[in-house]
Amino acid sequence: MSVTIFYYTGTGNSLWVARNLASVLKDAEPKPMLLDKPGPLNTASDTVGLVFPVHMWGLPARVIEFVKRLEADKGKYYFACAVNAGQVAATLVQLKKLMASKGITLGSGFDFVMPSNYIPWGGAPDTEKQNKLFEKAAEKIKRAAPLLERKALSAPEKGPLWQNIIFSAMLYPVSAPHIPKMDKSFFADDKCNGCGICARVCPAGNIALPGGRPAWQGRCEQCFACLQWCPKEAIQYGKKTSGYKRYHHPEIRISDMFVDEKKV
Ligand SMILES: Cc1cc2nc3c(=O)[nH]c(=O)nc-3n(C[C@H](O)[C@H](O)[C@H](O)COP(=O)(O)O)c2cc1C
Ligand code: SF4
Ligand code: SF4
């Protein structure tokens, strides 16, 4: 079995899941979900994984675009991991339907609960809470691996019915279209030293640096990489975030996030 695990990540949680899965599967390689080249996406691997964060109880736009460009191959086995902060809701059901519309079967879909990077909800959880989540996720990876090795078919994991209806079916469709322009709430405060890291970690190329200061360009994916990785904690989102603890996965390095290095 050869496996390509395509990942999308803002703060490293999904990359960590993708890497750890790759380390327990045979002949598996994590690759970023890049959309920089036009045209259909394909891989020679016989198993394809998609690992990504849940955004607003549904799929991030990048994941939707990536799946739309995937070439359907009946011979391949497809699986997904929806990495979230406790509310996966109907994200994997949405993915299964999207893939089905392309003639692709989602063989299995796993819900991974990791620390929240959505800073408007509050700062990072304390280290003890983070470690508990990492331990649980590591156990789940061990349980998932044999299922993936034998290409098991199962219904995608999902949240409780109320969450799926109120959040995924009602709130997601009205919120998601506004995401690109939600960067209006970002600004850099006086701590900014003009290092440019925010622009280098932005998967959307959404940050220009006129005069060495970040300027958001209105095509945001709301991954929060810019805010969470800024070494000076200079990026704020609205009025509350200056007092909130930043988050990124402790085993993921900033260089893993640099978009320019992923392309080479
Ligand atoms: C814009 C945005 C929306 C989010 N919405 C949800 C959500 O609906 N449910 C949830 O459980 N977590 C939500 N989160 C939290 C992330 O899914 C979670 O922290 C995830 O582990 C981040 O993965 P990453 O580090 O790979 O980006 C959201 C995060 C962001 C930035
Ligand atoms: S990463 Fe932070 S300090 Fe560096 S340019 Fe961006 S806002 Fe300024
Ligand atoms: S501007 Fe910030 S939040 Fe928006 S896509 Fe880029 S890194 Fe993510």
Side-chain angles (χ1 to χ4, degrees):
M1 168 166 115
S2 63
V3 187
T4 302
I5 305 176
F6 290 106
Y7 69 87
Y8 171 48
T9 191
T11 50
N13 287 344
S14 305
L15 174 53
W16 183 86
V17 170
R19 274 190 184 164
N20 280 277
L21 259 178
S23 73
V24 293
L25 296 172
K26 286 183 206 88
D27 193 14
E29 186 190 14
K31 279 191 175 175
M33 257 186 220
L34 297 178
L35 294 172
D36 51 325
K37 293 189 190 100
L41 299 155
N42 210 344
T43 160
S45 304
D46 54 43
T47 293
V48 177
L50 303 173
V51 182
F52 54 84
V54 172
H55 283 175
M56 294 180 182
W57 311 285
L59 296 174
R62 175 172 294 264
V63 179
I64 295 176
E65 180 61 22
F66 193 87
V67 170
K68 282 185 179 164
R69 289 223 234 141
L70 265 184
E71 276 190 345
D73 185 338
K74 297 262 180 235
K76 290 192 199 302
Y77 174 73
Y78 296 85
F79 72 90
C81 302
V83 182
N84 64 90
Q87 294 188 346
V88 69
T91 305
L92 288 161
V93 178
Q94 182 193 2
L95 179 65
K96 190 174 172 84
K97 285 182 188 160
L98 176 67
M99 291 174 95
S101 73
K102 293 216 22 132
I104 303 174
T105 302
L106 178 65
S108 51
F110 302 93
D111 158 24
F112 278 91
V113 180
M114 297 284 272
S116 173
N117 66 354
Y118 190 63
I119 199 162
W121 283 347
D126 63 40
T127 308
E128 196 185 335
K129 278 193 192 139
Q130 289 187 26
N131 287 339
K132 277 193 185 142
L133 292 172
F134 301 149
E135 274 166 34
K136 276 192 167 179
E139 283 162 19
K140 188 155 186 176
I141 286 169
K142 277 193 205 138
R143 289 199 304 276
L147 301 173
L148 298 176
E149 298 275 6
R150 65 167 197 267
K151 302 184 179 179
L153 297 176
S154 60
E157 294 178 345
K158 60 185 177 186
L161 187 62
W162 65 268
Q163 211 178 75
N164 305 340
I165 293 173
I166 297 173
F167 292 162
S168 296
M170 292 165 77
L171 283 178
Y172 172 85
V174 291
S175 316
H178 300 289
I179 285 179
K181 305 278 178 218
M182 283 183 183
D183 60 3
K184 285 195 183 79
S185 298
F186 282 117
F187 64 94
D189 66 24
D190 292 346
K191 297 193 289 298
C192 174
N193 65 3
C195 69
I197 281 175
C198 48
R200 289 189 75 190
V201 298
C202 175
N206 186 42
I207 299 180
L209 291 164
R213 302 277 293 209
W216 286 263
Q217 303 295 304
R219 47 172 191 274
C220 184
E221 299 180 8
Q222 285 274 294
C223 69
F224 277 80
C226 52
L227 180 149
Q228 300 283 15
W229 288 97
C230 168
K232 294 288 170 191
E233 301 190 5
I235 298 182
Q236 311 303 337
Y237 190 79
K239 289 187 187 137
K240 289 197 215 152
T241 59
S242 62
Y244 289 165
K245 193 174 151 201
R246 269 42 183 173
Y247 175 78
H248 61 77
H249 194 288
E251 289 174 25
I252 302 301
R253 291 165 185 273
I254 200 163
S255 54
D256 295 323
M257 302 296 303
F258 288 154
V259 175
D260 39 8
E261 289 184 12
K262 285 178 190 164
K263 284 181 190 164
V264 290

